[in-house]
Amino acid sequence: MSERGQTGGKLVAKPRVLIIGDSIRIVPKATSADVDVVYLQKPSQFDQAVIPFCRQLVLVDYQHVPSAVAMTRALHELGPIDRIVTQTEAAQLVAGHLTSLLGIAGTTERTARLLHDKSAMRALLNERGIGPVPFELNPTHAQLRAFVAAHGAAIVKPTMGSGSLGVRRIASLDEVDDVWAWCQEFGLGEFQVEQLLVGPELSVEAFSEAGRHTVVAVTAKDTDGGTVEVGHVIPAPISDIELSEISDVTIRLLDAVGLQDGPSHTEVIVTADGPRIIESHTRRGGDRINDLVKLVYGIDMEEAAFRLAGRGSPLDGLHPARGAAAVRFLTADPGVVTSVTGVDAAKAVEGVVDVVVSVRPGGVVSELRWSDDRCGLVVVHAEDVDTAVALARKAAAHVVITTEPVAEGPDAAAAPETLDAILRPYDEVFDPFHGSADAS
């Protein structure tokens, strides 16, 4: 165990924080909290740049639960782990399991499961009367048709996952057969159907300490009529009444699942009947939302998670909104990238904080199926919401990603796209406990 320093001649140990799966962008933030980092990462995802920030480092498939349990127990015996932190969606269930196993402070297995498993969360909300939404788990073809006949337009989605992967809308009974066939071909596995919620889509960025929940920001989202988000802006342009209602339903959810500490990201749709929760996560929001929060409110929720175990109050520095911040995502037609132009022009737009292009000539752009199919982004900070959104759109429009269709040979009978095939390059599964021995 390492040492923080001396107090009255006595050595004081630094808190030990186990970080699971996070990237080089996040791990160094633990230094501001003055904690020792124990890092657990999959070999396929390891970046050696994290080495200088780690006291101990273990490479193991943390989604193989028995291995993660064995390694964590050994690390805990070498020096007690005070808290487990992860902002990685794939690590949420394992982190909750290990937290409960060690009996330490943090997000428990029950809480992680209730928020990671959308069907479990929906059942709990409906049982508690917290913005109830009709849904059915693993319907048959006939049950799916009956659900749409009874409730109208619907949404089909896997019970786990993020980034809109595997999400499909059903506008009417005429689309049921096609969506059912797609579910089987895609290999959706465990899935649910819910009544389609109609209204502005928002997310609530909150931080909890000892069961007390602070709404730090509310984010407005733009899906451009689809299921994949193409833009966000903070603060959301909503009334004080809407803010109160959205905050109330979010806090009721967090209380119901028993969240005690750390960041949360809760997606909400404001319907004609009031706000309804779509899903929630025991981590900060993705899509650079954390950066938008910091630009406007002065809080880095990733750093705040480390301060729960280390030095400083998690929400030190939180202040009223200073202007607005927006992110706009880059998209392109599917095909092989032939050129990328306009990046410098995008960076020159007023208020631009960052421009990222994640594709290059020779790469392949897929159809927009989920968040990872987007091609980059621009981040803007401006004096108000309308200006931030307009400048983000302007900057994004400068970046032109040109593609040409993928050449197909005479024998190119396309294999059906499946969920497993999409996740394979990420070395990830939705539920690490499915079919796995629980080595507790």
Side-chain angles (χ1 to χ4, degrees):
M1 187 181 299
S2 65
E3 298 163 357
R4 182 190 295 273
Q6 291 190 342
T7 302
K10 184 178 181 180
L11 293 176
V12 180
K14 288 184 180 182
R16 279 165 54 87
V17 172
L18 176 65
I19 301 177
I20 305 180
D22 289 343
S23 69
I24 182 58
R25 193 186 61 77
I26 297 176
V27 174
K29 294 182 179 184
T31 59
S32 68
D34 195 25
V35 298
D36 274 343
V37 170
V38 182
Y39 185 54
L40 193 66
Q41 179 61 289
K42 297 184 179 186
S44 64
Q45 306 299 314
F46 175 61
D47 182 344
Q48 64 180 3
V50 305
I51 293 174
F53 304 99
C54 302
R55 173 65 61 175
Q56 292 174 305
L57 188 153
V58 174
L59 299 183
V60 67
D61 180 0
Y62 57 75
Q63 286 196 302
H64 182 257
V65 179
S67 296
V69 167
M71 287 297 183
T72 302
R73 278 179 164 158
L75 291 166
H76 191 57
E77 288 176 4
L78 288 171
I81 291 167
D82 295 285
R83 189 173 288 270
I84 298 174
V85 172
T86 181
Q87 307 300 330
T88 300
E89 183 67 18
Q92 298 297 315
L93 283 179
V94 174
H97 179 67
L98 295 174
T99 295
S100 292
L101 187 67
L102 298 183
I104 59 178
T107 299
T108 64
E109 183 169 9
R110 173 185 178 271
T111 299
R113 173 66 63 172
L114 284 170
L115 291 186
H116 196 76
D117 184 335
K118 298 175 179 62
S119 63
M121 184 207 71
R122 181 63 67 206
L124 177 66
L125 291 177
N126 287 356
E127 176 188 328
R128 301 284 181 90
I130 304 173
V133 175
F135 88 109
E136 188 157 349
L137 177 62
N138 292 324
T140 64
H141 190 175
Q143 289 170 334
L144 182 62
R145 175 171 288 278
F147 185 92
V148 174
H151 300 289
I155 196 117
V156 164
K157 58 186 177 183
T159 57
M160 297 189 185
S162 61
S164 300
L165 181 57
V167 177
R168 290 287 294 265
R169 287 179 177 171
I170 304 176
S172 67
L173 279 171
D174 293 338
E175 296 183 2
V176 169
D177 292 346
D178 286 344
V179 171
W180 174 261
W182 171 83
C183 289
Q184 308 313 303
E185 184 178 86
F186 189 64
L188 199 57
E190 292 277 322
F191 77 100
Q192 64 198 69
V193 59
E194 295 187 344
Q195 184 178 47
L196 181 68
L197 300 173
V198 179
E201 187 171 340
L202 311 166
S203 66
V204 180
E205 324 310 332
F207 199 91
S208 303
E209 298 177 74
R212 298 184 302 275
H213 315 296
T214 299
V215 173
V216 176
V218 178
T219 308
K221 302 178 176 297
D222 180 5
T223 61
D224 196 25
T227 59
V228 180
E229 294 153 347
V230 295
H232 305 290
V233 65
I234 289 177
I238 56 177
S239 69
D240 289 344
I241 292 176
E242 288 172 322
L243 174 60
S244 176
E245 292 176 343
I246 292 163
S247 298
D248 178 68
V249 74
T250 301
I251 289 170
R252 291 177 68 194
L253 161 70
L254 299 179
D255 282 340
V257 300
L259 183 66
Q260 289 295 302
D261 297 303
S264 59
H265 169 72
T266 304
E267 298 178 9
V268 176
I269 287 182
V270 183
T271 74
D273 297 320
R276 295 291 185 268
I277 290 168
I278 307 171
E279 59 188 57
S280 187
H281 304 271
T282 52
R283 55 168 172 77
R284 54 85 180 105
D287 280 2
R288 300 291 290 271
I289 287 174
N290 189 64
D291 294 336
L292 305 188
V293 172
K294 186 172 182 180
L295 286 167
V296 175
Y297 293 102
I299 288 293
D300 185 321
M301 295 175 72
E302 293 166 352
E303 287 185 359
F306 294 121
R307 289 199 293 272
L308 283 168
R311 173 167 47 84
S313 173
L315 295 184
D316 274 352
L318 179 65
H319 54 64
R322 294 176 182 170
V327 59
R328 189 77 186 174
F329 295 95
L330 308 177
T331 58
D333 293 331
V336 178
V337 178
T338 57
S339 67
V340 178
T341 61
V343 174
D344 289 340
K347 291 179 178 178
V349 171
E350 179 187 359
V352 167
V353 174
D354 198 10
V355 177
V356 176
V357 180
S358 55
V359 297
R360 61 184 62 186
V364 177
V365 174
S366 299
E367 179 186 354
L368 191 61
R369 307 155 299 179
W370 67 312
S371 297
D372 276 28
D373 290 325
R374 299 171 306 200
C375 302
L377 56 85
V378 297
V379 176
V380 167
H381 191 204
E383 63 269 20
D384 57 56
V385 168
D386 290 343
T387 303
V389 171
L391 289 174
R393 286 177 177 271
K394 179 180 178 180
H398 279 298
V399 182
V400 178
I401 301 168
T402 305
T403 62
E404 60 182 21
V406 177
E408 294 185 357
D411 300 322
E417 183 180 63
T418 66
L419 178 64
D420 285 345
I422 292 173
L423 290 176
R424 194 171 300 122
Y426 298 85
D427 189 17
E428 181 179 326
V429 296
F430 278 165
D431 187 353
F433 290 87
H434 180 70
S436 171
D438 180 0
S440 59

